[in-house]
PDB file of all heavy atoms in Angstrom:
ATOM      1  N   GLY A 138      92.754  61.627  78.357  1.00 97.00           N
ATOM      2  CA  GLY A 138      91.485  60.924  78.176  1.00 97.00           C
ATOM      3  C   GLY A 138      91.203  59.959  79.312  1.00 97.00           C
ATOM      4  O   GLY A 138      90.070  59.868  79.808  1.00 97.00           O
ATOM      5  N   MET A 139      92.232  59.233  79.755  1.00 97.00           N
ATOM      6  CA  MET A 139      92.048  58.281  80.855  1.00 97.00           C
ATOM      7  C   MET A 139      91.775  59.004  82.174  1.00 97.00           C
ATOM      8  O   MET A 139      90.962  58.546  82.985  1.00 97.00           O
ATOM      9  CB  MET A 139      93.279  57.379  80.971  1.00 97.00           C
ATOM     10  CG  MET A 139      93.380  56.371  79.837  1.00 97.00           C
ATOM     11  SD  MET A 139      94.596  55.073  80.117  1.00 97.00           S
ATOM     12  CE  MET A 139      96.117  55.993  79.886  1.00 97.00           C
ATOM     13  N   ALA A 140      92.424  60.137  82.401  1.00 97.00           N
ATOM     14  CA  ALA A 140      92.201  60.907  83.636  1.00 97.00           C
ATOM     15  C   ALA A 140      90.769  61.438  83.680  1.00 97.00           C
ATOM     16  O   ALA A 140      90.108  61.418  84.731  1.00 97.00           O
ATOM     17  CB  ALA A 140      93.201  62.048  83.726  1.00 97.00           C
ATOM     18  N   GLU A 141      90.284  61.920  82.536  1.00 97.00           N
ATOM     19  CA  GLU A 141      88.910  62.431  82.485  1.00 97.00           C
ATOM     20  C   GLU A 141      87.902  61.311  82.742  1.00 97.00           C
ATOM     21  O   GLU A 141      86.904  61.509  83.439  1.00 97.00           O
ATOM     22  CB  GLU A 141      88.655  63.088  81.124  1.00 97.00           C
ATOM     23  CG  GLU A 141      89.409  64.405  80.952  1.00 97.00           C
ATOM     24  CD  GLU A 141      89.314  64.968  79.543  1.00 97.00           C
ATOM     25  OE1 GLU A 141      88.807  64.244  78.650  1.00 97.00           O
ATOM     26  OE2 GLU A 141      89.751  66.121  79.336  1.00 97.00           O
ATOM     27  N   LYS A 142      88.169  60.137  82.194  1.00 97.00           N
ATOM     28  CA  LYS A 142      87.288  58.988  82.428  1.00 97.00           C
ATOM     29  C   LYS A 142      87.309  58.587  83.899  1.00 97.00           C
ATOM     30  O   LYS A 142      86.266  58.263  84.491  1.00 97.00           O
ATOM     31  CB  LYS A 142      87.704  57.801  81.545  1.00 97.00           C
ATOM     32  CG  LYS A 142      86.923  56.518  81.784  1.00 97.00           C
ATOM     33  CD  LYS A 142      85.423  56.685  81.594  1.00 97.00           C
ATOM     34  CE  LYS A 142      85.025  56.844  80.149  1.00 97.00           C
ATOM     35  NZ  LYS A 142      83.535  56.791  79.963  1.00 97.00           N
ATOM     36  N   ALA A 143      88.481  58.631  84.528  1.00 97.00           N
ATOM     37  CA  ALA A 143      88.598  58.295  85.956  1.00 97.00           C
ATOM     38  C   ALA A 143      87.734  59.222  86.798  1.00 97.00           C
ATOM     39  O   ALA A 143      87.063  58.792  87.752  1.00 97.00           O
ATOM     40  CB  ALA A 143      90.055  58.376  86.391  1.00 97.00           C
ATOM     41  N   ASN A 144      87.721  60.504  86.450  1.00 96.00           N
ATOM     42  CA  ASN A 144      86.926  61.471  87.209  1.00 96.00           C
ATOM     43  C   ASN A 144      85.430  61.306  86.969  1.00 96.00           C
ATOM     44  O   ASN A 144      84.618  61.727  87.800  1.00 96.00           O
ATOM     45  CB  ASN A 144      87.377  62.898  86.864  1.00 96.00           C
ATOM     46  CG  ASN A 144      88.618  63.305  87.638  1.00 96.00           C
ATOM     47  OD1 ASN A 144      88.624  63.306  88.858  1.00 96.00           O
ATOM     48  ND2 ASN A 144      89.686  63.625  86.926  1.00 96.00           N
ATOM     49  N   GLU A 145      85.053  60.699  85.844  1.00 96.00           N
ATOM     50  CA  GLU A 145      83.643  60.371  85.613  1.00 96.00           C
ATOM     51  C   GLU A 145      83.238  59.135  86.425  1.00 96.00           C
ATOM     52  O   GLU A 145      82.220  59.133  87.122  1.00 96.00           O
ATOM     53  CB  GLU A 145      83.406  60.086  84.127  1.00 96.00           C
ATOM     54  CG  GLU A 145      83.457  61.289  83.225  1.00 96.00           C
ATOM     55  CD  GLU A 145      83.262  60.894  81.770  1.00 96.00           C
ATOM     56  OE1 GLU A 145      82.687  59.805  81.512  1.00 96.00           O
ATOM     57  OE2 GLU A 145      83.706  61.645  80.882  1.00 96.00           O
ATOM     58  N   ILE A 146      84.046  58.098  86.328  1.00 96.00           N
ATOM     59  CA  ILE A 146      83.715  56.809  86.958  1.00 96.00           C
ATOM     60  C   ILE A 146      83.665  56.916  88.480  1.00 96.00           C
ATOM     61  O   ILE A 146      82.857  56.256  89.132  1.00 96.00           O
ATOM     62  CB  ILE A 146      84.741  55.728  86.545  1.00 96.00           C
ATOM     63  CG1 ILE A 146      84.690  55.489  85.031  1.00 96.00           C
ATOM     64  CG2 ILE A 146      84.498  54.422  87.286  1.00 96.00           C
ATOM     65  CD1 ILE A 146      83.407  54.869  84.546  1.00 96.00           C
ATOM     66  N   VAL A 147      84.531  57.753  89.058  1.00 95.00           N
ATOM     67  CA  VAL A 147      84.603  57.839  90.520  1.00 95.00           C
ATOM     68  C   VAL A 147      83.280  58.334  91.117  1.00 95.00           C
ATOM     69  O   VAL A 147      82.992  58.098  92.294  1.00 95.00           O
ATOM     70  CB  VAL A 147      85.783  58.747  90.951  1.00 95.00           C
ATOM     71  CG1 VAL A 147      85.458  60.224  90.721  1.00 95.00           C
ATOM     72  CG2 VAL A 147      86.161  58.498  92.410  1.00 95.00           C
ATOM     73  N   LEU A 148      82.458  59.004  90.313  1.00 94.00           N
ATOM     74  CA  LEU A 148      81.149  59.474  90.783  1.00 94.00           C
ATOM     75  C   LEU A 148      80.113  58.349  90.768  1.00 94.00           C
ATOM     76  O   LEU A 148      79.033  58.486  91.359  1.00 94.00           O
ATOM     77  CB  LEU A 148      80.655  60.627  89.900  1.00 94.00           C
ATOM     78  CG  LEU A 148      81.561  61.871  89.842  1.00 94.00           C
ATOM     79  CD1 LEU A 148      81.001  62.880  88.842  1.00 94.00           C
ATOM     80  CD2 LEU A 148      81.702  62.491  91.229  1.00 94.00           C
ATOM     81  N   GLU A 149      80.454  57.246  90.098  1.00 93.00           N
ATOM     82  CA  GLU A 149      79.508  56.147  89.939  1.00 93.00           C
ATOM     83  C   GLU A 149      79.788  54.962  90.856  1.00 93.00           C
ATOM     84  O   GLU A 149      78.869  54.252  91.269  1.00 93.00           O
ATOM     85  CB  GLU A 149      79.524  55.637  88.487  1.00 93.00           C
ATOM     86  CG  GLU A 149      79.246  56.703  87.432  1.00 93.00           C
ATOM     87  CD  GLU A 149      79.499  56.187  86.031  1.00 93.00           C
ATOM     88  OE1 GLU A 149      79.709  54.946  85.874  1.00 93.00           O
ATOM     89  OE2 GLU A 149      79.508  56.999  85.091  1.00 93.00           O
TER      90      GLU A 149
END
Side-chain angles (χ1 to χ4, degrees):
M139 288 192 287
E141 289 172 351
K142 176 58 72 171
N144 278 301
E145 288 178 22
I146 297 293
V147 75
L148 301 175
E149 304 171 10

